[in-house]
Amino acid sequence: MTKRTHVLLWTDSPAAYLEAIESAGLAERVVLDTLPRKEKPSADQMTRTEVLMAYAVPPGLLPAMPKLRWAQAMTAGVEGWVALPDLPEDMTLTCARGTHRESMPENIIGALFYVAKPYAAAVENQKRGKWVHSVAQPLTGKTLGILGLGAIGQEVARIAAALGMRVIGTRRRPEPMANVAEVFPADRTPEVLAQSDFLLLLLPATPQTENFINSERLGMMKPSAWLLNFGRGHLIKDDDLIAAVKAKKIAGAMLDVFRQEPLPADHPFWGTEGIIVLPHIGGPHPRRDRIVARLFVENLGRFLDGMSLKEVVDRKAGY
């Protein structure tokens, strides 16, 4: 009998993954363990696990898994994994990059409409029975700058271009791409800041992107521009953003991610006029586990067949 690979699914919602493994015809080639996130793998599980799928792991756990060859992070961001002091060098780490492709672009486009159109003001006026005529700002003809033209950014660009927007942005390895007028390397970020009517942050969390949007870069933006952060909370220096919005150096900001989540009730973002706080709604999807399961099962089949995996993390780059 062919040796079966031991797989540990460390998640509170394993059903979608078990179903996907069965549907892909891989169930007979693996031995599956499932474990709720609040529980720690047993000594036997740590000894035999060859493939691990998890949101995150604590320090000390991975080196205690002598047979572990591949770990699949259930999120696109892997800063917690990469920061582990004992991340095994010989273990392949993959992430869930691209699995937000359905939900996040729609929510980002929704954010663009929210800040450009007077719908929110109309709802507030309705509560007071007030008819206040206003003129909606067009998105057509405006420039959307995207810092981080990955899978999500490219899908946003496709939709934005269909709305008549001009899209520009940055990418670590710049190359021409559909629906994007200009793709710049990171060192030409100031050009994107200066041209953008809306600036969308989709950068990963790395030491190089810590406090990337600070007072200097905010000063390069148009006073009429909006900042949208759907990337990582630490991309923004909070105090600098608050000061820029209060001083009208930019029109405002819509933030979906924060350094600490939930955002503390006493954080000044809540009360700063011109800053809109979203409770991290950009990426979640009602069928998110099924979406991630598709990627995991494709990678599992590749792993079992000795093929290269998709969405392998570049540890030096941090994503």
Side-chain angles (χ1 to χ4, degrees):
M1 181 178 177
T2 304
K3 178 183 176 296
R4 298 167 73 182
T5 298
H6 286 264
V7 178
L8 175 59
L9 306 177
W10 198 358
T11 172
D12 294 332
S13 51
Y17 303 91
L18 296 172
E19 180 181 332
I21 291 170
E22 181 71 33
S23 297
L26 301 177
E28 298 301 317
R29 302 176 64 184
V30 296
V31 177
L32 294 167
D33 286 333
T34 62
L35 188 70
R37 293 177 65 184
K38 66 180 180 180
E39 296 184 15
K40 183 179 178 181
S42 66
D44 185 48
Q45 286 173 329
M46 291 203 291
T47 297
R48 68 180 184 235
T49 295
E50 299 167 77
V51 173
L52 171 68
M53 188 194 73
Y55 276 97
V57 294
L61 186 127
L62 296 179
M65 294 181 161
K67 294 184 179 180
L68 183 64
R69 291 184 286 154
W70 163 44
Q72 171 74 57
M74 297 176 68
T75 56
V78 290
E79 54 268 28
W81 291 80
V82 175
L84 288 170
D86 52 11
L87 188 66
E89 292 184 6
D90 58 349
M91 183 201 76
T92 299
L93 176 63
T94 58
C95 66
R97 187 184 300 118
T99 55
H100 292 18
R101 194 180 279 114
E102 291 185 23
S103 56
M104 191 175 288
E106 290 187 6
N107 286 318
I108 290 168
I109 296 300
L112 288 172
F113 274 99
Y114 187 92
V115 299
K117 310 300 181 182
Y119 302 143
V123 169
E124 291 304 310
N125 288 328
Q126 180 180 348
K127 294 176 183 178
R128 295 187 290 272
K130 294 178 63 178
W131 178 284
V132 179
H133 181 70
S134 58
V135 178
Q137 294 299 312
L139 293 176
T140 301
K142 296 294 178 66
T143 296
L144 170 64
I146 303 176
L147 302 187
L149 279 165
I152 303 302
Q154 291 175 53
E155 180 63 10
V156 172
R158 182 188 68 80
I159 302 171
L163 294 171
M165 301 186 76
R166 174 176 177 263
V167 182
I168 60 176
T170 61
R171 185 175 171 87
R172 184 159 62 110
R173 289 185 287 270
E175 58 187 16
M177 59 180 60
N179 306 303
V180 181
E182 293 185 85
V183 182
F184 298 99
D187 61 4
R188 294 180 66 184
T189 296
E191 296 177 55
V192 179
L193 300 179
Q195 295 182 45
S196 297
D197 297 298
F198 304 93
L199 182 69
L200 172 61
L201 305 182
L202 292 174
L203 294 168
T206 69
Q208 290 71 38
T209 59
E210 175 78 30
N211 291 326
F212 191 79
I213 298 299
N214 53 22
S215 59
E216 179 183 4
R217 291 193 171 96
L218 287 163
M220 298 176 185
M221 295 174 63
K222 298 178 181 181
S224 58
W226 275 83
L227 176 70
L228 311 175
N229 188 13
F230 283 77
R232 291 290 181 270
H234 90 226
L235 300 176
I236 294 174
K237 191 171 183 181
D238 293 2
D239 291 344
D240 287 5
L241 175 60
I242 292 167
V245 172
K246 286 183 175 180
K248 306 296 183 183
K249 291 184 178 179
I250 65 171
M254 181 173 285
L255 310 176
D256 188 54
V257 287
F258 307 90
R259 292 177 179 273
Q260 181 181 345
E261 296 185 6
L263 186 68
D266 60 352
H267 195 287
F269 278 162
W270 288 110
T272 301
E273 185 176 356
I275 292 181
I276 300 169
V277 173
L278 301 180
H280 203 141
I281 64 172
H285 189 286
R287 296 182 300 278
R288 166 135 176 89
D289 282 309
R290 292 187 180 277
I291 296 170
V292 177
R294 289 200 297 263
L295 171 62
F296 175 68
V297 167
E298 181 176 354
N299 263 344
L300 181 59
R302 287 169 171 261
F303 180 83
L304 295 174
D305 291 337
M307 299 170 59
S308 60
L309 304 183
K310 296 180 66 175
E311 310 303 349
V312 174
V313 173
D314 181 338
R315 299 190 187 192
K316 289 184 178 179
Y319 56 93

